[in-house]
Amino acid sequence: MMTEAEHNGRTRIVLTGGPGGGKSTAADMFRREIGDRVVVVPEAATILYGGGFPRPALEHARRSTQQAIFHVQRNLEDVQARLYPDRVLLCDRGTIDGAAYWPGSPDDFFNAMGTTLAREFERYDAVIHFESAAAGGIAIEGGNPVRNETLKEALLLDRKLQAIWSAHPHFHVIPHNASFLAKITQALRLLQSLVDANG
């Protein structure tokens, strides 16, 4: 049976992790290095928040926000897959990320989205988790202007994301490193190996 990832694009690799992990930097550097073999799917939350979408604290409103992010992320991936069917999709976050931000259990999140964890896993061929700089006590501000998490919140989100995604059969972790350059270099090598392995 053909998976959604195989049907909608050649290969999909998710870059995930807590805020301040370096995933967006790695995606941009890798795209510049490898050229037209890859297309980056931007992070839906950054697009929405950067465009003025509210970021409320109320639980009911947070649910609505995460629903919007889920559907925008899913459709961004599918649009890019159809526009660039011969390229590897490098997804800056995936549809599953919202489960870590959801004000309830992951099961509640997937029920609300009308899907399952297993079904969403089928969309992606590999997952790379970039551990947040918060794991090393390093400030995360400065990289993304729409991020507003404290170090404690960033670390909690990182752990939640890692717990949810780790069940994927092709899950990889890029751990925090005091040297950001060394961390990005490790990530780029892993990305190259995954792209090479998928043709």
Side-chain angles (χ1 to χ4, degrees):
M1 178 172 144
M2 185 175 288
T3 69
E4 202 162 348
E6 291 168 334
H7 179 69
N8 290 336
R10 203 182 84 191
T11 303
R12 291 187 194 190
I13 301 171
V14 174
L15 308 184
T16 187
K23 60 184 180 51
S24 299
T25 300
D28 185 56
M29 289 181 69
F30 190 68
R31 180 195 58 77
R32 291 178 187 216
E33 182 68 25
I34 203 166
D36 61 6
R37 290 177 63 195
V38 169
V39 62
V40 175
V41 180
E43 181 182 12
T46 296
I47 291 172
L48 288 172
Y49 293 145
F53 200 90
R55 196 170 188 179
L58 295 174
E59 183 173 312
H60 180 73
R62 284 171 58 203
R63 289 173 181 266
S64 295
T65 298
Q66 290 306 318
Q67 287 176 325
I69 291 170
F70 174 88
H71 291 293
V72 170
Q73 185 70 40
R74 175 179 271 238
N75 284 288
L76 277 171
E77 292 173 12
D78 292 346
V79 166
Q80 294 288 63
R82 287 176 173 85
L83 287 174
Y84 305 100
D86 298 324
R87 298 188 191 183
V88 172
L89 293 189
L90 206 55
C91 304
D92 191 343
R93 297 203 178 279
T95 56
I96 292 167
D97 280 48
Y101 293 83
W102 186 256
S105 70
D107 286 343
D108 181 45
F109 171 80
F110 293 114
N111 287 336
M113 302 305 145
T115 187
T116 64
L117 177 62
R119 193 177 304 154
E120 296 309 304
F121 272 168
E122 288 180 356
R123 293 178 62 84
Y124 308 108
D125 299 284
V127 180
I128 303 176
H129 180 97
F130 286 72
E131 188 176 41
S132 174
I138 297 174
I140 61 170
E141 66 270 0
N144 185 335
V146 304
R147 298 254 64 107
N148 63 1
E149 293 88 355
T150 65
L151 282 181
K152 184 177 179 181
E153 290 168 339
L155 187 57
L156 178 61
L157 285 167
D158 189 272
R159 298 301 180 245
K160 285 183 176 181
L161 286 161
Q162 191 166 165
I164 295 165
W165 280 105
S166 63
H168 191 282
H170 301 288
F171 177 77
H172 308 269
V173 175
I174 302 295
H176 167 68
N177 191 317
S179 168
F180 187 69
L181 179 59
K183 182 179 185 180
I184 293 299
T185 300
Q186 180 184 359
L188 295 177
R189 285 177 182 152
L190 176 57
L191 277 166
Q192 186 69 61
S193 70
L194 290 171
V195 169
D196 289 346
N198 286 280

